[in-house]
Amino acid sequence: MSGAAPLHVVAGVIRDARGRVLLAQRAPGKHLAGLWEFPGGKSDAGEAAVDALARELHEELGLVVESARPLIRVPHAYPQQAIVLDVWQVSAWSGQPVAREGQRLAWVEADALMRLPMPAADRPVIDALRLPWRCLVTPAVAPAAEAELLAGIERACRRGIGMVRLRQPDWPLPALAAMARRALATCRDHDTLLLLDGDARLAAILGLDGAHLAASALAALPTSFASSGHWLGVDCHDAQQLAAAVAAGARFATLSPVFAAAASGVGGALGWERCEELIAAVPIPVYVAGGLEGDDLDAAQMVGAQGIAASRGLW
């Protein structure tokens, strides 16, 4: 099977009015029988992904897809077959789900998805659902501007930015730790994720949601960090670094720079087309960064990104 082209599979994330997610259980006798998955199926040759999604959800569940947007594409190699799982968020649909193929269906709370037995390819989809679209990277300020920095973080939280990366590489450790504690209290009040740039150990000690590291720092990463439930993000600039992030157990990556204005010292701008190629090759959510503004979110998601990470553009 090693020379066979990956099988293109589409799947839909369907939520009810309570925010629960619809899952289907794979029937006995099928590959991965008994596991729960996002409903969907194989796309036909030459069929557009969104058309395949609409067809499969109608055939399987009797639903009519009215609108959907891409969420994540997950390449995964099972022993029997390599696949690309092309997952879409179904934002509007009509009808009532009916198990037309005799499969079991269940509406599951989003927080319970991680506890269910699911195929390996479906696991990154859960992270993509939990991660926000926008990530603020705090601009560098002097320790004396701590109050200004904290006020900016609070403004971002109030605007609905779902993740903050606290990046102050030149601060003394005691000042950084004190700032992180204050920022964590603010982020908790607004259900915003707080990650610390550059120091996974300190992030774990302080009880932050996770850490964001340079690819070159992965060798020194504590072995338990990636498996402890923390969010681990990795700053990447090429395919090799993205592969290293996946191998280290990163739950997402940040790919940069998109634009030349932010390309100093990292080998030049990637551009949207190259970003799309690199993102398509990795099975984890990827943010794009580098010279981006808030208005670039749609373009980022069009190339398969989870969203955007920015400092000045979101500050």
Side-chain angles (χ1 to χ4, degrees):
M1 298 299 294
S2 60
L7 187 67
H8 186 213
V9 178
V10 293
V13 176
I14 302 164
R15 296 179 186 266
D16 67 5
R18 293 169 48 186
R20 298 178 303 175
V21 178
L22 183 63
L23 296 183
Q25 189 176 41
R26 295 187 64 81
K30 281 190 172 184
H31 177 231
L32 305 175
L35 299 186
W36 292 91
E37 64 182 358
F38 300 97
K42 304 171 188 175
S43 65
D44 294 334
E47 188 177 27
V50 69
D51 294 335
L53 178 73
R55 176 182 54 75
E56 284 288 340
L57 294 186
H58 188 262
E59 291 175 357
E60 271 193 39
L61 304 173
L63 297 181
V64 176
V65 174
E66 297 173 354
S67 65
R69 69 169 186 84
L71 177 64
I72 188 173
R73 287 168 59 94
V74 182
H76 185 82
Y78 290 108
Q80 297 88 344
Q81 173 73 62
I83 71 166
V84 174
L85 181 62
D86 194 346
V87 184
W88 292 63
Q89 289 220 59
V90 181
S91 49
W93 48 277
S94 58
Q96 290 296 324
V98 176
R100 287 184 162 182
E101 298 177 355
Q103 72 276 41
R104 289 180 61 195
L105 302 177
W107 290 102
V108 180
E109 298 288 348
D111 291 343
L113 291 173
M114 291 293 291
R115 298 192 292 271
L116 289 176
M118 300 183 75
D122 289 65
R123 287 292 173 186
V125 183
I126 302 173
D127 281 345
L129 286 171
R130 296 176 65 197
L131 286 169
W133 297 346
R134 296 177 295 167
C135 172
L136 169 67
V137 184
T138 60
V141 299
E146 175 187 6
E148 177 187 341
L149 179 61
L150 188 60
I153 291 173
E154 183 167 11
R155 285 195 303 271
C157 291
R158 290 184 182 279
R159 296 201 320 272
I161 289 177
M163 182 190 294
V164 174
R165 282 172 42 196
L166 182 60
R167 184 177 66 180
Q168 300 299 328
D170 298 327
W171 281 30
L173 190 59
L176 180 61
M179 179 66 214
R181 290 190 182 96
R182 295 186 179 97
L184 181 60
T186 297
C187 289
R188 286 284 185 269
D189 287 342
H190 298 277
D191 294 324
T192 300
L193 297 173
L194 179 64
L195 277 63
L196 183 64
D197 263 38
D199 196 330
R201 288 183 176 87
L202 182 58
I205 290 169
L206 296 176
L208 305 189
D209 297 298
H212 196 274
L213 306 178
S216 59
L218 289 175
L221 178 70
T223 54
S224 62
F225 189 85
S227 60
S228 62
H230 290 95
W231 288 103
L232 173 62
V234 179
D235 192 21
C236 300
H237 307 297
D238 55 33
Q240 183 177 4
Q241 291 179 345
L242 285 167
V246 173
R251 294 173 68 182
F252 72 92
T254 303
L255 179 63
S256 68
V258 177
F259 294 134
S264 176
V266 293
L270 295 168
W272 290 120
E273 184 175 348
R274 181 56 177 157
C275 284
E276 184 172 20
E277 294 172 356
L278 292 170
I279 291 169
V282 295
I284 58 175
V286 178
Y287 290 89
V288 287
L292 300 182
E293 303 289 340
D295 291 344
D296 291 312
L297 177 60
D298 287 344
Q301 292 181 329
M302 285 293 292
V303 301
Q306 173 75 19
I308 62 172
S311 182
R312 288 172 300 187
L314 293 177
W315 187 246

